[in-house]
Amino acid sequence: MLPQRLIQRCNERIAPFACEGFVYGKGSDSPSIMFVGEAPGETEIHNGIPFSGRAGRYFDGFLQELELTRDDVYVTSTVRSRPYKWGQPKGREKRKYNRTPNQGEIAAHAPILDAEIEYLEPRLIVPMGRIAYQRLAGGSARMSEVTGHLVTSPVLRLDDWDTRSYTWTNTTYPLFPIYHPAAALYKRSLEADISAHLEKLKQHLR
Ligand code: URA
């Protein structure tokens, strides 16, 4: 779906950063929902399937609660390569760890997400977690303030690579932000909120 030339240019932009691999967005070409995550992890860059690692088990649980399959939706992320840092826990081997993408990495791959939104015209965009939400909606709101609320709004698209400036789309999209599937891995107490948000999302789909 995406022009290879676009992907190549975005990958040239991200090359100076500590990122590896490339995972394509996957799913329906007329999706009922476009899910936007943060960035792939180690499992995803090896098998090329978004949300197939530990967070993926929670993501599949989200789909089950929504009574949807991966073929009904489109799954993508803010950055398509895995941002990593080296670490060496005491007495263990040095290895790569996932880290949050920085603004340079987000801008480098921004035209990919912009193109997906433009081509797929999703009926609903569900940013999962702060990185995806702020990439699309801007601002600095906390996830606890925005999750579980439907807003119809333009989204941000990259305007200029060098200055990393964004502009609003002319089209508006229904946005329903939720917590990132990995959030419950780190904070069990979010589980009840996540379930309530998914229930509300399911009502909106009806
Ligand atoms: N987190 C994401 O945002 N995407 C993945 O594919 C895996 C984890």
Side-chain angles (χ1 to χ4, degrees):
M1 175 196 73
L2 292 172
Q4 282 304 314
R5 201 165 33 88
L6 174 74
I7 294 174
Q8 195 186 331
R9 286 180 63 216
C10 291
N11 281 339
E12 283 164 12
R13 281 271 164 175
I14 212 166
F17 296 97
C19 287
E20 60 180 355
F22 185 88
V23 179
Y24 285 85
K26 272 204 169 42
S28 166
D29 55 16
S30 65
S32 54
I33 301 183
M34 175 186 275
F35 287 99
V36 185
E38 180 175 313
E42 190 179 8
T43 307
E44 288 82 9
I45 59 157
H46 284 116
N47 65 18
I49 304 168
F51 283 101
S52 50
R54 230 150 61 106
R57 287 203 291 276
Y58 284 88
F59 178 68
D60 286 331
F62 286 10
L63 289 179
Q64 244 175 26
E65 288 196 43
L66 296 168
E67 295 179 40
L68 293 172
T69 68
R70 287 194 181 230
D71 292 335
D72 300 321
V73 302
Y74 188 84
V75 189
T76 186
S77 58
T78 308
V79 172
R80 312 302 278 277
S81 298
R82 174 198 186 198
Y84 65 84
K85 59 178 181 227
W86 286 100
Q88 186 165 27
K90 258 205 186 104
R92 306 254 290 277
E93 241 176 78
K94 195 174 161 190
R95 71 171 183 89
K96 289 173 182 170
Y97 288 86
N98 296 341
R99 64 172 169 79
T100 306
N102 62 40
Q103 289 305 320
E105 292 158 350
I106 293 171
H109 276 185
I112 300 178
L113 181 58
D114 295 340
E116 286 174 311
I117 293 173
E118 196 176 315
Y119 293 157
L120 294 169
E121 299 178 327
R123 276 165 272 162
L124 182 63
I125 302 179
V126 174
M128 299 190 290
R130 180 179 61 88
I131 294 294
Y133 176 75
Q134 291 181 358
R135 156 70 175 86
L136 292 169
S140 54
R142 302 168 68 89
M143 287 312 283
S144 56
E145 294 161 16
V146 296
T147 46
H149 301 291
L150 181 73
V151 288
T152 297
S153 156
V155 295
L156 289 172
R157 57 177 290 124
L158 190 74
D159 190 33
D160 184 80
W161 242 334
D162 294 318
T163 58
R164 293 177 192 163
S165 54
Y166 293 79
T167 182
W168 295 104
T169 53
N170 293 324
T171 313
T172 60
Y173 300 89
L175 285 182
F176 190 92
I178 60 174
Y179 286 105
H180 190 279
L185 272 169
Y186 302 108
K187 204 170 163 196
R188 290 271 163 197
S189 60
L190 289 179
E191 273 177 5
D193 282 345
I194 293 174
S195 284
H197 298 160
L198 292 171
E199 186 50 43
K200 200 167 160 190
L201 177 54
K202 199 167 150 185
Q203 302 304 329
H204 283 304
L205 290 173
R206 291 226 168 99

